Amino acid sequence: MLIIPAIDLKDGKCVRLKQGAMHKATVFSDDPAATAAQWLKLGARRLHIVDLNGAAAGRPKNEPAIKAITEAIGGKLPIQLGGGIRDLDTIEKLLDSGVNYVIVGTAAVKTPGFLAEACTAFPGHVMVALDAKDGKVAVDGWSKMTGHEVLDLARKFQDYGVEAIIYTDIGRDGMLTGVNIEATLALAKQISAPVIASGGINGLDDVKALCKIEPEGVVGAITG
């Protein structure tokens, strides 16, 4: 089970949001690179980065902070990054800069052909984020709900060859109310792609519960 600490970037700083609300950001650090180095020192085996401004704008907006992180820990700790990734050029630049995996969210839902192209062009380096509430997928930094069912999209995207599916219950994200084990397990059981759990993880009890369902294909947990 990969325990993946998350760094959420807003205006170059490390923040935490509650249920994705940008105006409810709590700043934890002004130095993202130092924060990344701390997780490396503590034994993390992968790092999750979200460009929150990028998710809202539709293109990366925290490039200096991302560059500082990759320079600080690049080659020592695999990095997965999402937020505003909407074209192949952006993916190529991020991978060239030291990011190991890119996470496609909104663009995967709105233009699935792009996700298919990305998986073909960069095999093994593309993950997809399915952010859901009550089984329905949200897009545009969680600001808009769609009518798409999580399972339907997950099955489609795994056929494209995504490296993993990151499943987030946005009703729980940033609330420390416990991960949605039931929904995560239900998804993992019905697809073959690896699932990474996210949203609401509150402590070791959540991690232990996720470890119990690891044989079903839940390979990691993102902790914010």
Side-chain angles (χ1 to χ4, degrees):
M1 177 67 63
L2 277 171
I3 308 302
I4 310 170
I7 293 179
D8 291 354
L9 297 172
K10 180 176 183 285
D11 304 331
K13 300 176 181 179
C14 302
V15 305
R16 185 180 75 193
L17 305 187
K18 290 186 176 180
Q19 298 178 322
M22 290 285 275
H23 65 281
K24 295 181 181 178
T26 301
V27 176
F28 282 90
S29 172
D30 294 331
D31 191 341
T35 301
Q38 171 193 347
W39 291 125
L40 173 65
K41 184 178 180 180
L42 290 172
R45 293 178 291 147
R46 187 182 295 183
L47 183 66
H48 179 82
I49 302 174
V50 181
D51 183 340
L52 294 171
N53 301 103
R59 64 184 187 280
K61 301 291 284 184
N62 280 283
E63 291 98 329
I66 294 167
K67 181 179 179 181
I69 290 171
T70 57
E71 288 180 348
I73 66 168
K76 303 173 186 175
L77 187 64
I79 297 168
Q80 60 188 50
L81 182 144
I85 297 173
R86 311 283 166 90
D87 58 70
L88 297 179
D89 286 345
T90 297
I91 293 176
E92 186 172 19
K93 288 176 183 176
L94 288 170
L95 294 177
D96 286 345
S97 74
V99 172
N100 303 90
Y101 306 98
V102 296
I103 302 163
V104 181
T106 295
V109 179
K110 290 187 171 181
T111 53
F114 161 63
L115 180 64
E117 290 177 356
C119 290
T120 299
F122 307 101
H125 295 282
V126 180
M127 300 180 178
V128 67
L130 291 178
D131 307 324
K133 188 174 184 179
D134 301 324
K136 303 290 186 181
V137 174
V139 295
D140 293 331
W142 302 352
S143 63
K144 299 175 184 174
M145 297 301 300
T146 72
H148 295 292
E149 296 283 345
V150 171
L151 181 57
D152 292 341
L153 290 181
R155 284 173 169 159
K156 179 191 293 186
F157 297 159
Q158 75 175 2
D159 291 341
Y160 294 163
V162 296
E163 180 69 11
I165 291 174
I166 299 173
Y167 174 68
T168 303
D169 182 336
I170 62 176
R172 302 193 185 202
D173 189 77
M175 304 303 288
L176 297 176
T177 53
V179 69
N180 192 332
I181 295 289
E182 297 79 11
T184 304
L185 175 60
L187 177 63
K189 275 187 170 182
Q190 296 183 73
I191 62 174
S192 58
V195 173
I196 296 174
S198 175
I201 291 175
N202 188 30
L204 283 177
D205 286 343
D206 282 331
V207 174
K208 290 174 182 176
L210 287 168
C211 285
K212 290 179 181 177
I213 63 173
E214 187 173 11
E216 299 291 347
V218 181
V219 300
I222 295 169
T223 61

